[in-house]
Amino acid sequence: EFAESLCFKPGRNANTSLYYTNHTKLRNGGNGLESEEKNIFLSKKAETEHERDSLMAKLKNLNHSIQELLAQPTNAEANAITLTNEGKISDLREKLEAARVHESNGSARNNTKRRVDKMASYWRQRKRLCMDFLITMEECTDGAINVKKCLAGDGQIELDSDEAIIVSAVAYATKKRTKGMMHKAKKRRKINRANAIDTPIEDEILPSSSFIGVTLDARGGVTRVMADEED
């Protein structure tokens, strides 16, 4: 069938000889596949490409599932997390029970707050009356009586003002620190801490050792003054 398809044309020497193929001897006259076979080939090629795309999509989904599984904790890690969360839940339940015990103190807390607000109202009223008196005296005496000096405790009228009391309390606390009283307080705290080991009390609210007193802010609210804040 393929006889004489390979031809040889001799030259002057071996280097100039020529070998060539006679494509007219090939199938379909050298024009490749026939139309029917070409259609079958293209159809199978399309099917193969579609199958390849489907397999690549499945592979992508499998890789995504693998990444999600790898991100999940192992059984040992899950057990450790479960034990930790159980301990936290137990602590929260204990705190919840303690909070429920103190829930009945809500009315007492509200009553105390109302008492504090009432006393603060009287305090603001009396302070306003005193300030009005001092301002009037300063105006009537043409500055001979100075309001600021009176409030600081150095004026012509002796007053136990909030500002003077706070200033003296701060000065006293500073003097105690300069004499080494804070060092003794640390020793006492160590002794108290050692005694507290035998009888621990959880969530106990203790008074602050740096508390000095209270004063009225610019809005008329009661503000606590600490020794540390005055440093």
Side-chain angles (χ1 to χ4, degrees):
E1 181 180 359
F2 297 102
E4 299 180 1
S5 60
L6 184 61
C7 303
F8 173 73
K9 183 179 181 181
R12 295 182 179 181
N13 52 44
N15 293 331
T16 59
S17 298
L18 180 62
Y19 293 88
Y20 64 94
T21 302
N22 186 6
H23 292 282
T24 58
K25 295 293 184 179
L26 296 177
R27 190 174 182 180
N28 194 19
N31 294 324
L33 299 175
E34 295 181 358
S35 60
E36 184 177 356
E37 293 178 349
K38 185 181 292 186
N39 291 334
I40 296 173
F41 171 76
L42 294 176
S43 177
K44 290 184 178 180
K45 180 183 177 183
E47 292 179 359
T48 304
E49 290 178 351
H50 179 71
E51 185 177 358
R52 183 199 61 186
D53 295 340
S54 178
L55 292 175
M56 292 297 293
K58 291 181 179 179
L59 178 62
K60 185 178 180 180
N61 292 332
L62 288 175
N63 289 332
H64 183 69
S65 300
I66 290 172
Q67 294 298 328
E68 289 182 351
L69 291 175
L70 292 176
Q72 298 296 328
T74 61
N75 292 336
E77 294 174 347
N79 292 333
I81 293 173
T82 301
L83 292 176
T84 303
N85 291 334
E86 287 179 352
K88 292 180 180 179
I89 291 173
S90 179
D91 294 339
L92 290 175
R93 286 177 177 173
E94 293 178 358
K95 292 181 179 180
L96 178 60
E97 294 298 328
R100 287 175 176 173
V101 172
H102 295 290
E103 185 177 1
S104 59
N105 296 332
S107 59
R109 183 176 64 253
N110 294 332
N111 292 333
T112 303
K113 186 177 183 303
R114 283 194 293 268
R115 290 179 57 197
V116 171
D117 294 339
K118 187 175 181 180
M119 288 188 290
S121 177
Y122 283 123
W123 185 7
R124 288 191 294 268
Q125 182 179 0
R126 293 185 179 187
K127 185 173 183 179
R128 185 170 59 253
L129 292 175
C130 292
M131 290 298 298
D132 293 341
F133 172 75
L134 290 176
I135 293 172
T136 303
M137 291 295 296
E138 184 179 15
E139 293 176 351
C140 292
T141 58
D142 295 331
I145 297 177
N146 189 278
V147 176
K148 293 183 179 180
K149 290 183 178 181
C150 292
L151 293 177
D154 299 330
Q156 296 78 4
I157 300 176
E158 295 184 1
L159 296 175
D160 291 334
S161 64
D162 303 332
E163 293 79 1
I165 296 298
I166 293 298
V167 170
S168 61
V170 172
Y172 177 72
T174 305
K175 187 176 180 180
K176 285 178 60 177
R177 284 197 296 270
T178 57
K179 291 183 178 181
M181 295 299 293
M182 296 299 293
H183 181 66
K184 295 181 180 180
K186 289 181 180 179
K187 289 184 178 181
R188 288 196 297 270
R189 284 198 295 271
K190 290 181 180 179
I191 296 173
N192 295 335
R193 191 179 298 110
N195 295 333
I197 295 176
D198 299 332
T199 57
I201 301 176
E202 296 182 357
D203 299 334
E204 183 179 1
I205 300 176
L206 299 177
S208 176
S209 58
S210 62
F211 175 71
I212 292 179
V214 294
T215 184
L216 292 177
D217 56 15
R219 297 182 178 180
V222 179
T223 304
R224 301 203 318 168
V225 180
M226 301 293 182
D228 298 336
E229 296 178 355
E230 300 293 333
D231 293 341

